[in-house]
Amino acid sequence: PFSLPMAAAANWRRKILKQDVDGLEQSLAQAFIDLEKNVDPAQRAEVRDLTFHSAVEAEIGAGKKVVIIVVPYVLLSNYRRLHHILATNFEKKLSGKHVIFIGQRRILPKDTRNNRVKRQCRPRSRTLTAVHDAMLEDVCYPTEIVGKRLRYKVDGSKVMKIYLNPRDQQSA
Protein backbone atom coordinates (compact mmCIF):
# COMPACT_ATOMS: atom_id res chain seq x y z
CA PRO A 1 0.00 0.00 0.00
CA PHE A 2 2.61 2.61 1.03
CA SER A 3 5.73 3.20 -0.96
CA LEU A 4 8.98 3.44 0.97
CA PRO A 5 9.46 7.24 0.69
CA MET A 6 5.90 7.85 1.94
CA ALA A 7 6.47 5.61 4.96
CA ALA A 8 9.78 7.34 5.67
CA ALA A 9 8.08 10.74 5.45
CA ALA A 10 5.41 9.64 7.89
CA ASN A 11 8.14 8.33 10.17
CA TRP A 12 10.02 11.64 10.62
CA ARG A 13 6.73 13.56 10.72
CA ARG A 14 5.85 12.19 14.19
CA LYS A 15 8.97 13.80 15.70
CA ILE A 16 7.98 17.41 15.03
CA LEU A 17 4.85 18.98 16.53
CA LYS A 18 4.10 21.77 14.06
CA GLN A 19 2.48 21.57 10.64
CA ASP A 20 4.61 23.68 8.28
CA VAL A 21 8.16 22.32 8.39
CA ASP A 22 11.28 23.78 6.78
CA GLY A 23 14.39 21.91 5.59
CA LEU A 24 16.39 22.22 8.84
CA GLU A 25 13.52 20.89 10.92
CA GLN A 26 12.97 18.01 8.51
CA SER A 27 16.65 17.05 8.63
CA LEU A 28 16.59 17.20 12.44
CA ALA A 29 13.50 14.99 12.58
CA GLN A 30 15.24 12.50 10.28
CA ALA A 31 18.34 12.68 12.50
CA PHE A 32 16.11 11.79 15.48
CA ILE A 33 14.87 8.70 13.58
CA ASP A 34 18.44 7.71 12.65
CA LEU A 35 19.60 8.18 16.24
CA GLU A 36 16.71 6.06 17.47
CA LYS A 37 17.96 3.19 15.29
CA ASN A 38 21.64 3.56 16.26
CA VAL A 39 21.40 4.11 20.03
CA ASP A 40 21.75 1.18 22.45
CA PRO A 41 18.52 -0.65 23.35
CA ALA A 42 18.48 0.66 26.95
CA GLN A 43 18.02 4.27 25.72
CA ARG A 44 16.00 3.49 22.58
CA ALA A 45 12.64 3.84 24.36
CA GLU A 46 13.63 7.24 25.79
CA VAL A 47 14.81 8.55 22.41
CA ARG A 48 11.64 7.24 20.73
CA ASP A 49 9.45 9.43 22.97
CA LEU A 50 11.33 12.67 22.19
CA THR A 51 9.66 15.28 19.99
CA PHE A 52 10.34 18.96 19.31
CA HIS A 53 8.39 22.10 18.39
CA SER A 54 10.76 23.91 16.05
CA ALA A 55 14.38 24.57 15.17
CA VAL A 56 16.18 27.77 14.19
CA GLU A 57 19.70 28.35 12.95
CA ALA A 58 21.41 31.45 14.34
CA GLU A 59 24.84 33.04 14.01
CA ILE A 60 26.77 33.61 17.23
CA GLY A 61 29.61 35.74 15.94
CA ALA A 62 32.91 34.99 14.19
CA GLY A 63 31.01 33.00 11.54
CA LYS A 64 29.99 30.29 14.01
CA LYS A 65 26.48 28.92 13.78
CA VAL A 66 24.22 27.32 16.37
CA VAL A 67 21.01 25.32 15.96
CA ILE A 68 18.42 26.13 18.62
CA ILE A 69 15.88 23.33 19.10
CA VAL A 70 12.69 24.27 20.95
CA VAL A 71 11.33 21.26 22.84
CA PRO A 72 8.13 20.73 24.87
CA TYR A 73 8.65 21.75 28.48
CA VAL A 74 7.42 18.38 29.80
CA LEU A 75 10.17 16.60 27.83
CA LEU A 76 12.97 18.98 28.87
CA SER A 77 14.16 16.72 31.70
CA ASN A 78 14.43 13.80 29.24
CA TYR A 79 16.45 15.97 26.87
CA ARG A 80 18.76 16.96 29.72
CA ARG A 81 19.25 13.33 30.73
CA LEU A 82 20.23 12.41 27.14
CA HIS A 83 21.97 15.73 26.40
CA HIS A 84 25.43 14.31 25.77
CA ILE A 85 24.23 11.67 23.31
CA LEU A 86 21.87 14.03 21.48
CA ALA A 87 24.27 16.95 21.24
CA THR A 88 27.24 14.90 19.98
CA ASN A 89 25.16 13.05 17.37
CA PHE A 90 23.41 16.19 16.11
CA GLU A 91 26.69 18.12 15.93
CA LYS A 92 28.09 15.33 13.73
CA LYS A 93 25.01 15.35 11.49
CA LEU A 94 24.90 19.15 11.22
CA SER A 95 28.60 19.46 10.28
CA GLY A 96 29.96 20.89 13.51
CA LYS A 97 27.24 23.42 14.38
CA HIS A 98 26.54 23.73 18.09
CA VAL A 99 23.16 22.41 19.28
CA ILE A 100 21.11 23.96 22.10
CA PHE A 101 17.85 22.61 23.53
CA ILE A 102 15.43 25.20 24.94
CA GLY A 103 12.14 24.40 26.67
CA GLN A 104 8.93 25.94 25.31
CA ARG A 105 7.64 28.16 28.11
CA ARG A 106 4.67 30.49 28.34
CA ILE A 107 4.75 34.14 29.41
CA LEU A 108 1.48 35.33 30.90
CA PRO A 109 0.71 39.05 30.73
CA LYS A 110 0.79 41.19 33.81
CA ASP A 111 -2.60 42.05 35.27
CA THR A 112 -3.57 45.57 34.25
CA ARG A 113 -6.76 47.60 34.36
CA ASN A 114 -7.68 46.53 30.82
CA ASN A 115 -7.12 42.76 31.05
CA ARG A 116 -8.15 42.06 34.64
CA VAL A 117 -10.33 38.96 34.72
CA LYS A 118 -11.39 36.83 37.66
CA ARG A 119 -8.74 34.13 37.44
CA GLN A 120 -5.92 32.69 39.47
CA CYS A 121 -2.84 34.68 40.31
CA ARG A 122 -0.06 34.55 37.71
CA PRO A 123 2.63 32.07 38.82
CA ARG A 124 6.19 33.33 39.17
CA SER A 125 7.36 30.79 36.59
CA ARG A 126 5.17 32.46 33.91
CA THR A 127 6.59 35.98 34.33
CA LEU A 128 8.79 37.51 31.65
CA THR A 129 11.85 37.64 33.91
CA ALA A 130 11.48 34.04 35.10
CA VAL A 131 11.04 32.73 31.55
CA HIS A 132 14.09 34.64 30.30
CA ASP A 133 16.19 33.39 33.23
CA ALA A 134 15.07 29.83 32.54
CA MET A 135 15.96 30.20 28.85
CA LEU A 136 19.42 31.40 29.87
CA GLU A 137 19.76 28.31 32.08
CA ASP A 138 18.78 26.16 29.07
CA VAL A 139 21.39 27.80 26.85
CA CYS A 140 24.15 27.18 29.41
CA TYR A 141 22.80 23.75 30.37
CA PRO A 142 25.73 21.38 30.84
CA THR A 143 27.26 23.94 33.19
CA GLU A 144 25.43 25.87 35.87
CA ILE A 145 25.21 29.63 36.33
CA VAL A 146 26.85 30.70 39.60
CA GLY A 147 26.52 34.47 39.26
CA LYS A 148 25.06 37.33 37.23
CA ARG A 149 26.10 40.95 37.10
CA LEU A 150 24.17 43.67 35.31
CA ARG A 151 26.20 46.71 34.34
CA TYR A 152 24.63 49.95 33.17
CA LYS A 153 26.81 52.00 30.82
CA VAL A 154 26.81 55.79 30.52
CA ASP A 155 24.92 55.70 27.21
CA GLY A 156 22.06 53.78 28.88
CA SER A 157 22.85 50.34 27.47
CA LYS A 158 22.98 47.30 29.73
CA VAL A 159 25.56 44.50 29.74
CA MET A 160 24.82 41.30 31.61
CA LYS A 161 27.81 39.21 32.66
CA ILE A 162 27.11 35.55 33.38
CA TYR A 163 29.53 33.59 35.55
CA LEU A 164 29.57 29.85 34.90
CA ASN A 165 30.78 27.15 37.25
CA PRO A 166 34.60 27.06 36.93
CA ARG A 167 34.88 23.30 37.47
CA ASP A 168 33.05 22.72 34.15
CA GLN A 169 35.52 24.92 32.28
CA GLN A 170 37.46 22.02 30.77
CA SER A 171 34.38 20.52 29.11
CA ALA A 172 33.02 23.81 27.72
Side-chain angles (χ1 to χ4, degrees):
F2 288 111
S3 63
L4 185 62
M6 185 64 122
N11 209 6
W12 66 261
R13 192 71 190 110
R14 66 184 166 85
K15 288 292 181 184
I16 186 159
L17 299 175
K18 71 177 192 177
Q19 295 303 315
D20 50 332
V21 180
D22 64 1
L24 174 68
E25 291 165 343
Q26 183 177 347
S27 65
L28 274 172
Q30 189 59 47
F32 265 108
I33 298 296
D34 297 342
L35 178 64
E36 189 179 311
K37 293 173 186 170
N38 297 334
V39 78
D40 63 334
Q43 295 168 330
R44 188 166 290 149
E46 285 186 80
V47 174
R48 187 177 297 125
D49 295 336
L50 296 179
T51 57
F52 65 99
H53 282 293
S54 63
V56 177
E57 189 173 327
E59 194 167 322
I60 54 173
K64 293 182 181 178
K65 296 204 178 219
V66 65
V67 176
I68 301 168
I69 302 172
V70 181
V71 302
Y73 180 74
V74 293
L75 295 177
L76 189 60
S77 61
N78 297 354
Y79 273 95
R80 287 187 170 181
R81 191 169 39 254
L82 299 168
H83 185 271
H84 183 70
I85 297 165
L86 295 171
T88 52
N89 280 306
F90 287 155
E91 284 173 6
K92 282 184 213 167
K93 294 251 186 204
L94 298 170
S95 66
K97 295 175 187 165
H98 291 290
V99 177
I100 295 174
F101 300 103
I102 293 182
Q104 176 74 39
R105 293 178 172 87
R106 181 173 305 277
I107 300 173
L108 291 178
K110 198 173 187 179
D111 281 343
T112 61
R113 214 176 312 158
N114 297 334
N115 71 351
R116 194 176 305 139
V117 195
K118 188 69 176 164
R119 63 173 183 227
Q120 289 183 338
C121 187
R122 176 176 70 155
R124 168 90 173 94
S125 63
R126 307 288 198 288
T127 63
L128 179 88
T129 308
V131 169
H132 286 180
D133 287 344
M135 287 175 78
L136 188 60
E137 292 273 345
D138 290 347
V139 168
C140 302
Y141 169 63
T143 63
E144 62 178 314
I145 297 173
V146 293
K148 294 180 196 171
R149 300 292 179 267
L150 189 59
R151 182 169 177 216
Y152 294 92
K153 293 194 172 180
V154 178
D155 63 349
S157 63
K158 296 186 253 182
V159 176
M160 182 182 270
K161 247 186 169 176
I162 307 296
Y163 295 98
L164 302 176
N165 199 340
R167 71 186 157 134
D168 297 328
Q169 199 166 12
Q170 290 82 19
S171 63

